[in-house]
Amino acid sequence: MTISSTNSVVFLMGPTASGKTELALEMYNQLDASLISVDSALIYRGMDIGTAKPSKVTLENYPHALIDICEPDESFSVNQFVSLAKQHIESALNAGKLPILVGGTSFYFNALEHGLSKLPESTKDSRKYFNDRLKNQGSEKLHSQLLKIDHQSATRIHPNDSQRVTRALEVFHLSGVTLSELQGNKNENKLNHEIKKIILMPERSELHQRIEKRFIEMIKDGFLDEVETLRKNKNLNLDLASMRCVGYRQAWNYFDGLYSKQAMIEKAIVATRQLCKRQCTWLRNESNALILKETNIDKAINFLQERGA
């Protein structure tokens, strides 16, 4: 089936373990589409099991752009993501295909839809400074400091979201201007296409069950072997964004002897559920979207046809 489109894209969004990939593959089967990943973990090569990356066979049959594009010890910014995503979107549209952007990284989706703020770039020194503060003080303590500096950003960022907490503090440290002030001045680098949003949102209890089941399966599939291999890379450490991905940090700490295997499993499941909660909170603020509690290809296609995608 072909849904004619010359200037629109599909955002297929949902929390972790909601079944986004499965719905994306069904849409790919029925539509003349191009799949583009919007996931800040799937960009890394060698991080396959713990990120629930589609299998090699799946990716051969259903190509996804922006998967396996950098090494775990390399930095990758949202600016880079937006630039690459826009290139793939234009290539798809020029080929007469419908771009389907699928993933759960809200910051990436938001940057595409609303544009990027002109934030100061991180430096090696600033990253080390705030990573050291995070180790010594913890995320919640840093969040309380952010409340005093930038109350608006602090209310939007969960105290346990250490990456966003430290980034907000770093922005103020580097520029002398709060993150909320800078984000109020978007540049013109936003996506210049109509966006059709489909959100896959199962009940929270079901998501929690899926998260636990999936992580247990990851362990059986060799996730710990994957982390052991990553640990052999002397350039990797827990300060890097790649190793902050849920599951990887907990497994790394397990190998460092900080807690037992069972405790690691429990902590990883809890961390994933916390991520899920943050994603759901963001998704509930989305408007003009088709909300699906379960995969339903017919409803998805009908929605796109009605909206003229």
Side-chain angles (χ1 to χ4, degrees), residues 136-156:
N136 295 329
Q137 301 178 48
S139 184
E140 291 188 7
K141 181 76 174 292
L142 293 183
H143 186 268
S144 66
Q145 296 170 19
L146 180 61
L147 272 169
K148 299 175 184 177
I149 296 170
D150 184 0
H151 189 272
Q152 186 176 341
S153 290
T155 55
R156 289 187 292 105

Side-chain angles (χ1 to χ4, degrees), residues 86-259:
K86 290 174 73 174
Q87 290 176 30
H88 286 290
I89 288 168
E90 295 306 321
S91 294
L93 290 173
N94 290 337
K97 296 181 178 295
L98 178 67
I100 299 177
L101 287 85
V102 54
T105 301
S106 58
F107 190 34
Y108 285 0
F109 277 119
N110 189 68
L112 276 172
E113 182 174 7
H114 301 292
L116 288 164
S117 307
K118 295 181 180 179
L119 303 179
E121 292 288 337
S122 295
T123 67
K124 184 177 180 180
D125 289 340
S126 68
R127 282 196 300 271
K128 183 179 185 308
Y129 174 69
F130 284 100
N131 283 331
D132 287 345
R133 286 183 63 182
L134 180 61
K135 287 180 182 177
N136 295 329
Q137 301 178 48
S139 184
E140 291 188 7
K141 181 76 174 292
L142 293 183
H143 186 268
S144 66
Q145 296 170 19
L146 180 61
L147 272 169
K148 299 175 184 177
I149 296 170
D150 184 0
H151 189 272
Q152 186 176 341
S153 290
T155 55
R156 289 187 292 105
I157 300 173
H158 193 281
N160 292 332
D161 194 344
S162 60
Q163 190 167 356
R164 293 182 68 197
V165 169
T166 53
R167 178 54 178 157
L169 289 170
E170 182 188 38
V171 165
F172 183 75
H173 174 79
L174 291 171
S175 67
V177 182
T178 65
L179 178 65
S180 57
E181 287 181 87
L182 290 173
Q183 287 183 330
N185 299 305
K186 302 287 187 181
N187 64 24
E188 297 302 317
N189 198 27
K190 63 181 180 180
L191 197 59
N192 190 28
H193 298 290
E194 188 175 4
I195 298 168
K196 315 293 184 183
K197 298 178 182 178
I198 298 174
I199 298 174
L200 194 53
M201 183 79 83
E203 296 292 343
R204 180 171 293 183
S205 59
E206 183 179 351
L207 285 169
H208 282 193
Q209 292 174 3
R210 290 186 187 182
I211 286 168
E212 180 174 353
K213 180 181 178 182
R214 186 177 69 175
F215 193 74
I216 298 301
E217 289 176 350
M218 287 176 178
I219 296 293
K220 293 178 181 177
D221 290 341
F223 173 55
L224 293 179
D225 293 334
E226 180 174 271
V227 176
E228 278 194 299
T229 299
L230 290 166
R231 282 168 61 88
K232 293 175 183 177
N233 182 345
K234 301 303 181 183
N235 293 324
L236 289 181
N237 57 70
L238 291 181
D239 292 337
L240 295 172
S242 59
M243 293 300 101
R244 289 178 180 172
C245 292
V246 290
Y248 288 89
R249 173 180 289 277
Q250 291 77 20
W252 191 288
N253 285 332
Y254 159 68
F255 283 117
D256 280 343
L258 295 186
Y259 30 70

